């Protein structure tokens, strides 16, 4: 497909009415219990939106196609980067991670001549690309290529919400596609362990929901901490007070940069290198998770045309005048869920000063990204800025995760929203005063 982005197109979503409180309250209850959404409120604010983001079929196909192009490029670049430890220093990775990626066994071939010999086996590679509609067309802010979250909201919330809006369907079912991709490779009865930080309920809820979906596809599941693993000759085993048994595959929801904090006895380095038990995703995904990933592009043989088109210019903070004006956004290299993002005029002044100090002192751990102007839709007199995260599994679009915020920054204050697809090819006039497509019914 063409890589041209049409900046003159109207707003790419349909105007719909929010759910009434009478409809939303029971829906919210189902999301909590059926979809394992255990953090439905932060302080006095609901984290679940009472209005979906409805995309015309044409827009959904466009985003899915762009995500597949991005996935193809990022997986090729990641393969090349695994064999280029000379570039790992540009990515802002912890020293222990760099050792695990490139120096632990001396298994690398000659620089530039291929990938490591002992790559941990991958299976059902999952990536999420976060799209934003801007005054210049569609752009992405980042790729979540290490441990992308939002899977319970993306699948569960959208399925439930579609029932209230006739003529719409969910934008895919990522959790279902994920389970099918894993089970197709492993077969019925395989033992899949879901590795996560078990003390965090927001991580536990995602893994619990996924485990339910996987179990429905015919596999055995275990919810575990990485400390419950022991590796023997590259094979992972579950080693706990209640059982000791082999594992056929691992779903990792434990960030790659956290792994070196674990005891060496649990063999955490096998997530990066030398693991024979298939992992989704191998921890080498951290190479492209880093917000400083674009700083390696000019040194790679892998072409990145779709990324260069859709991701705003990204630079080392030392190379741009970020201290003055609002042209640049500051991002930690390994930041997640919008934490510690600095946008002058959006980030509160106290936090901006703290972030600025951190960037000055530790610039190699940060990236500066040229700011785009996001478009919004208006609900109840409030501008809402949406983000559409498109998941790919092994390079194929699988579903979408929606979030909306009352400011042009998607972070922990943003609300989860269903992403639905209408049968209509076009959005029609933007911001219709009366919903046409999605008349809410009881």
């Amino acid at each position: 497909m063409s890589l041209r982005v049409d900046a003159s197109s109207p707003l790419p979503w349909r105007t719909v009415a929010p759910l009434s409180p009478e409809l939303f309250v029971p829906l919210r209850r189902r999301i909590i219990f059926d979809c394992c959404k255990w953090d439905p409120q932060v302080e006095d604010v609901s984290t679940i939106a009472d209005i979906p983001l409805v995309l015309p079929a044409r827009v959904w196909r466009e985003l899915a196609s762009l995500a597949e192009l991005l996935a193809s490029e990022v997986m090729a670049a990641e393969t090349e980067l695994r064999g280029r430890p000379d570039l790992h220093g540009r990515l802002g990775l912890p020293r222990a991670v760099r050792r695990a990626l490139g120096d632990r066994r001396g298994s690398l071939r000659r620089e530039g001549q291929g990938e490591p010999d002992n790559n941990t086996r991958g299976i059902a590679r999952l990536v999420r690309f976060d799209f934003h509609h801007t005054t210049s067309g569609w752009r992405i802010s980042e790729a979540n290529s290490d441990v992308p979250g939002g899977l319970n909201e993306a699948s569960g919330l959208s399925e439930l919400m579609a029932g209230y809006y006739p003529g719409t369907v969910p934008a895919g079912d990522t959790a279902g596609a994920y389970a099918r991709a894993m089970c197709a490779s492993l077969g019925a009865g395989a033992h899949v362990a879901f590795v996560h930080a078990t003390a965090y309920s927001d991580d536990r809820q995602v893994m619990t929901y996924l485990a339910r979906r996987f179990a429905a596809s015919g596999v055995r599941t275990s919810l575990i901490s990485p400390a419950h693993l022991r590796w023997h000759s590259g094979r992972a085993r579950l080693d706990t007070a209640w059982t000791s048994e082999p594992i056929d595959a691992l779903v990792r929801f434990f960030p790659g940069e956290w792994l070196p904090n674990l005891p060496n006895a649990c063999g955490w380095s096998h997530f990066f290198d030398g693991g024979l038990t298939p992992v989704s995703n191998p921890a080498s995904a951290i190479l492209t998770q880093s917000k400083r990933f674009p700083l390696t592009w000019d040194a790679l043989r892998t072409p990145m045309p779709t990324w260069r088109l859709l991701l705003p210019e990204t630079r080392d903070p030392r190379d741009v005048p970020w201290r003055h004006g609002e042209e640049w956004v500051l991002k930690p290299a390994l930041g997640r869920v919008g934490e510690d993002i600095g946008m002058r005029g959006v980030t509160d002044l106290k936090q901006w000063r703290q972030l600025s100090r951190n960037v000055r002192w530790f610039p190699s751990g940060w990236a500066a990204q040229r700011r785009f102007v996001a478009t919004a839709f208006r609900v109840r007199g409030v501008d809402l800025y949406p983000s559409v995260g498109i998941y790919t599994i092994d390079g194929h679009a699988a579903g979408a995760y929606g979030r909306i915020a009352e400011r042009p920054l998607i972070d922990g204050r943003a609300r989860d929203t269903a992403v639905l697809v209408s049968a209509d090819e076009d959005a029609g006039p933007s911001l219709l005063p009366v919903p046409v497509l999605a008349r809410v019914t009881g």
Side-chain angles (χ1 to χ4, degrees):
M1 65 173 290
S2 170
L3 294 185
R4 183 177 63 87
V5 174
D6 186 359
S8 64
S9 62
L11 296 179
W13 39 75
R14 297 300 303 261
T15 299
V16 300
L19 290 177
S20 67
E22 293 76 17
L23 295 175
F24 180 64
V25 170
L27 173 67
R28 183 175 182 269
R29 189 179 304 118
R30 286 195 65 190
I31 293 166
I32 293 171
F33 290 103
D34 295 354
C35 308
C36 306
K37 179 64 176 174
W38 301 335
D39 56 348
Q41 189 160 318
V42 174
E43 297 176 348
D44 293 329
V45 179
S46 173
T47 61
I48 305 169
D50 59 1
I51 185 170
L53 192 64
V54 179
L55 303 176
R58 175 188 58 80
V59 174
W60 166 244
R61 290 196 301 269
E62 176 189 1
L63 293 180
S65 296
L66 289 171
E68 290 178 353
L69 290 171
L70 291 165
S72 175
E73 293 172 14
V74 78
M75 288 188 287
E78 188 177 299
T79 297
E80 184 177 353
L81 275 171
R82 285 199 300 263
R84 293 292 306 274
D86 57 306
L87 298 179
H88 295 177
R90 302 185 189 185
L91 297 172
L93 305 179
R95 185 176 294 107
V97 168
R98 296 201 305 270
R99 284 199 300 267
L101 283 166
D103 302 329
R104 188 167 61 84
R105 290 197 178 103
S107 61
L108 293 171
R109 298 178 184 144
R110 184 163 53 89
E111 176 186 319
Q113 298 301 311
E115 59 187 87
D117 293 322
N118 291 332
N119 293 335
T120 292
R121 288 184 59 193
I123 185 174
R125 179 59 195 276
L126 179 68
V127 187
R128 193 187 79 221
F129 302 95
D130 289 344
F131 284 84
H132 307 258
H133 192 261
T134 76
T135 53
S136 301
W138 287 107
R139 295 291 182 267
I140 62 169
S141 56
E142 62 183 18
N144 292 273
S145 57
D146 188 38
V147 286
L151 293 161
N152 52 333
E153 298 94 348
S155 288
L157 173 56
S158 294
E159 180 183 6
L160 293 175
M161 187 71 83
Y164 292 92
Y165 290 86
T168 69
V169 295
D173 174 15
T174 307
Y178 199 16
R180 289 191 296 272
M182 292 281 283
C183 294
S185 298
L186 299 172
H191 185 193
V192 178
F194 294 79
V195 182
H196 61 291
T198 54
Y200 291 91
S201 63
D202 50 346
D203 292 3
R204 184 74 170 189
Q205 66 184 8
V206 177
M207 294 290 93
T208 300
Y209 180 79
L210 277 183
R212 289 180 183 177
R213 298 296 302 270
F214 274 57
S217 297
V219 301
R220 281 199 308 131
T221 61
S222 295
L223 297 169
I224 68 169
S225 159
H228 292 146
L229 292 175
R230 294 295 182 269
W231 297 77
H232 302 282
S233 301
R235 301 282 182 183
R237 290 185 61 87
L238 185 57
D239 186 9
T240 68
W242 59 91
T243 187
S244 178
E245 57 181 310
I247 293 170
D248 297 307
L250 298 162
V251 173
R252 180 178 63 89
F253 200 66
F254 195 94
E257 69 272 21
W258 292 7
L259 288 168
N261 298 327
L262 296 167
N264 289 330
C266 67
W268 61 265
S269 61
H270 287 86
F271 283 102
F272 290 95
D273 188 38
L276 299 179
T277 300
V279 181
S280 178
N281 294 323
S284 55
I286 199 172
L287 292 166
T288 52
Q289 172 72 31
S290 171
K291 306 304 181 292
R292 291 172 62 91
F293 167 51
L295 305 187
T296 69
W297 292 353
D298 289 342
L300 296 177
R301 299 189 307 275
T302 303
M304 308 291 292
T306 317
W307 276 81
R308 291 181 185 274
L309 176 72
L310 296 178
L311 185 74
E313 178 186 3
T314 303
R315 306 281 295 277
D316 187 298
R318 290 167 288 197
D319 297 335
V320 296
W322 59 266
R323 294 178 179 84
H324 310 288
E326 300 180 355
E327 186 178 3
W328 297 94
V329 178
L330 299 175
K331 295 186 174 185
L334 297 176
R336 299 176 189 270
V337 295
E339 292 179 343
D340 295 331
I341 290 179
M343 295 178 65
R344 186 185 291 272
V346 175
T347 304
D348 67 68
L349 184 57
K350 180 178 179 181
Q351 185 182 14
W352 171 261
R353 288 172 175 167
Q354 181 180 356
L355 294 176
S356 298
R357 183 170 60 250
N358 290 341
V359 174
R360 292 194 304 271
W361 290 355
F362 309 105
S364 62
W366 292 79
Q369 187 180 96
R370 191 175 293 277
R371 186 170 173 177
F372 53 66
V373 180
T375 56
F377 64 97
R378 199 164 183 81
V379 177
R380 303 187 187 97
V382 177
D383 285 337
L384 298 176
Y385 296 88
S387 167
V388 184
I390 307 296
Y391 296 95
T392 62
I393 299 173
D394 290 333
H396 301 288
Y401 174 40
R403 286 173 292 173
I404 54 175
E406 294 184 7
R407 56 180 187 161
L409 173 60
I410 303 297
D411 58 9
R413 303 180 194 178
R415 288 180 287 164
D416 300 318
T417 184
V419 181
L420 307 180
V421 179
S422 74
D424 296 352
E425 288 294 312
D426 295 300
S430 61
L431 300 178
L432 296 174
V434 178
V436 175
L437 167 70
R439 256 181 228 288
V440 182
T441 61

